[in-house]
Amino acid sequence: MSKVKYYYDPDTLSYRKIEPKKSRRFRNIALFFLGSFLFGFLGLILLLNTNLVNTPRELSLAREVKNYELQFELLGKKMEQIENVLANIEDRDNNIYRLYFEANPIPEEQRRAGFGGVNRYKSLEGFNNSEMIIATTKRLDIIQKQMVIQSKSLDEITKLAEEKEKLLAAIPAIQPIKNEDLTRMASGYGWRSDPFTKARKMHWGMDFTSPKGTPVYASGDGTVTRADNNASGYGKHIRIDHGYGYMSLYGHLSQYNVKARQKVKRGDLIGFVGNTGRSEAPHLHYEVWKDDERINPINFYYGSLTAEEFENMLKYANQENQSLD
């Protein structure tokens, strides 16, 4: 109940009731509602800018942000696993594969290099989690670059392996006459007595004594460059170009089983033992050339002899006896 107010009227010497004006009443009511509205509006703004009250959409967005943060954390762990696997592959690449194939290792700085120049991550700036997003993106970019470098390296290793396989197949690595067909190892590489002049001279190959017609085999993959009787002293002979600077020669044959420009594989039958040319008895004179220089064939029999067989051959090859040509 509102209070009634009075004032003293000196003319009547009595108290009179104060009657409020209608306009004043309306003004007070308007001020009350305006004040209530402003107070309510300011309170709403304050509540919206605090965590005390959240709308359903804000709560949903907050859950999404938490989920994204969790996903980024899981992504970080997965990237760490990938980095560990990559590091293991890179270590084997540098210290096993590239070392075996005599290729230079890839420098660590090249594998771990970032990206310079223009700011690649400018579009990711200005967000609440920009620092985390940029760091993760940079990490992914570096991993991607490492994978590209490693992929190219493995491509190179594959080519080196293929080339190495061709090289190993090309090297004249087997004895040109089978042991069961061999009468004896007559003479080795080095200074020997000439069978015709009896003078001491350099014998540039190895002489394998076998009956006439004994099969002679290619000691490595290659291409026949000569199969003729046009070289002094060798009689009927075959020359095979193995590539990589290697060449093998088979002299004093009785007949050929190949012709010039024919490709052969290691172990292919190329001819037969004979006694043609400057020869004292049926045998095969065998030479190995590297970069146009004749070298000792004894070093190239790892593809067909046991350790014991090689030791016996080495003993006979080192004897300074008389050669057969």
Side-chain angles (χ1 to χ4, degrees), residues 161-171 221 242 244:
E162 291 173 352
E163 194 65 22
K164 192 86 170 183
E165 186 177 359
K166 291 178 183 177
L167 169 62
L168 293 175
I171 293 175
D221 295 1
H242 302 280
Y244 308 97

Side-chain angles (χ1 to χ4, degrees), residues 283-315:
H283 75 286
L284 172 71
H285 175 80
Y286 176 66
E287 293 182 6
V288 173
W289 296 57
K290 178 69 169 73
D291 298 328
D292 297 324
E293 297 288 337
R294 286 177 283 194
I295 55 179
N296 194 343
I298 195 72
N299 300 315
F300 293 88
Y301 296 135
Y302 58 83
S304 60
L305 300 181
T306 65
E308 184 179 357
E309 289 171 339
F310 181 79
E311 187 176 350
N312 289 332
M313 176 179 283
L314 188 63
K315 180 178 69 174

Side-chain angles (χ1 to χ4, degrees), residues 33 37 42 96 128-129 165 221 226 246 248 258 297:
F33 280 111
F37 173 76
L42 291 174
I96 299 178
N128 290 337
N129 296 311
E165 186 177 359
D221 295 1
R226 292 182 65 172
Y246 289 99
S248 59
V258 292

Side-chain angles (χ1 to χ4, degrees), residues 198-259:
K198 307 305 178 182
R200 193 166 180 265
K201 73 169 189 176
M202 185 65 184
H203 186 241
W204 295 104
M206 297 182 72
D207 291 341
F208 296 93
T209 303
S210 288
K212 182 179 178 180
T214 299
V216 176
Y217 302 96
S219 56
D221 295 1
T223 303
V224 177
T225 56
R226 292 182 65 172
D228 56 49
N229 191 22
N230 299 326
S232 176
Y234 290 119
K236 290 183 178 181
H237 77 290
I238 294 171
R239 302 188 192 196
I240 298 177
D241 182 2
H242 302 280
Y244 308 97
Y246 289 99
M247 190 271 289
S248 59
L249 183 149
Y250 312 78
H252 312 303
L253 302 175
S254 60
Q255 56 181 311
Y256 314 112
N257 196 52
V258 292
K259 55 186 177 181

Side-chain angles (χ1 to χ4, degrees), residues 72-314:
F72 268 101
E73 184 178 349
L74 294 176
L75 180 61
K77 292 180 179 179
K78 290 180 180 178
M79 286 192 293
E80 184 177 353
Q81 292 176 345
I82 293 172
E83 287 168 341
N84 290 336
V85 172
L86 263 176
N88 181 264
I89 295 173
E90 290 167 354
D91 180 66
R92 285 186 289 167
D93 184 37
N94 276 350
N95 299 313
I96 299 178
Y97 308 142
R98 302 185 74 84
L99 186 65
Y100 177 78
F101 293 110
E102 300 176 356
N104 292 326
I106 299 175
E108 191 72 10
E109 306 77 45
Q110 183 179 342
R111 291 186 184 274
R112 299 287 182 272
F115 302 88
V118 180
N119 183 1
R120 299 164 55 91
Y121 312 104
K122 190 173 181 62
S123 61
L124 301 177
E125 296 176 351
F127 300 99
N128 290 337
N129 296 311
S130 287
E131 185 176 343
M132 178 179 65
I133 296 172
I134 290 173
T136 303
T137 306
K138 283 182 178 179
R139 196 172 173 187
L140 278 171
D141 285 345
I142 292 174
I143 290 175
Q144 184 180 23
K145 183 176 181 181
Q146 288 177 252
M147 292 179 69
V148 170
I149 292 173
Q150 188 57 54
S151 176
K152 290 181 178 178
S153 176
L154 291 177
D155 288 342
E156 181 184 353
I157 293 298
T158 300
K159 291 180 181 178
L160 290 172
E162 291 173 352
E163 194 65 22
K164 192 86 170 183
E165 186 177 359
K166 291 178 183 177
L167 169 62
L168 293 175
I171 293 175
I174 65 170
Q175 188 174 287
I177 294 179
K178 292 181 179 179
N179 267 341
E180 56 265 29
D181 297 331
L182 187 64
T183 303
R184 65 188 178 94
M185 220 298 295
S187 181
Y189 178 95
W191 292 96
R192 300 291 184 268
S193 174
D194 185 278
F196 300 101
T197 66
K198 307 305 178 182
R200 193 166 180 265
K201 73 169 189 176
M202 185 65 184
H203 186 241
W204 295 104
M206 297 182 72
D207 291 341
F208 296 93
T209 303
S210 288
K212 182 179 178 180
T214 299
V216 176
Y217 302 96
S219 56
D221 295 1
T223 303
V224 177
T225 56
R226 292 182 65 172
D228 56 49
N229 191 22
N230 299 326
S232 176
Y234 290 119
K236 290 183 178 181
H237 77 290
I238 294 171
R239 302 188 192 196
I240 298 177
D241 182 2
H242 302 280
Y244 308 97
Y246 289 99
M247 190 271 289
S248 59
L249 183 149
Y250 312 78
H252 312 303
L253 302 175
S254 60
Q255 56 181 311
Y256 314 112
N257 196 52
V258 292
K259 55 186 177 181
R261 294 186 296 277
Q262 180 177 334
K263 292 187 180 299
V264 295
K265 294 288 186 181
R266 178 182 292 153
D268 284 354
L269 175 63
I270 59 173
F272 301 90
V273 170
N275 191 30
T276 59
R278 193 175 185 274
S279 172
E280 188 180 56
H283 75 286
L284 172 71
H285 175 80
Y286 176 66
E287 293 182 6
V288 173
W289 296 57
K290 178 69 169 73
D291 298 328
D292 297 324
E293 297 288 337
R294 286 177 283 194
I295 55 179
N296 194 343
I298 195 72
N299 300 315
F300 293 88
Y301 296 135
Y302 58 83
S304 60
L305 300 181
T306 65
E308 184 179 357
E309 289 171 339
F310 181 79
E311 187 176 350
N312 289 332
M313 176 179 283
L314 188 63

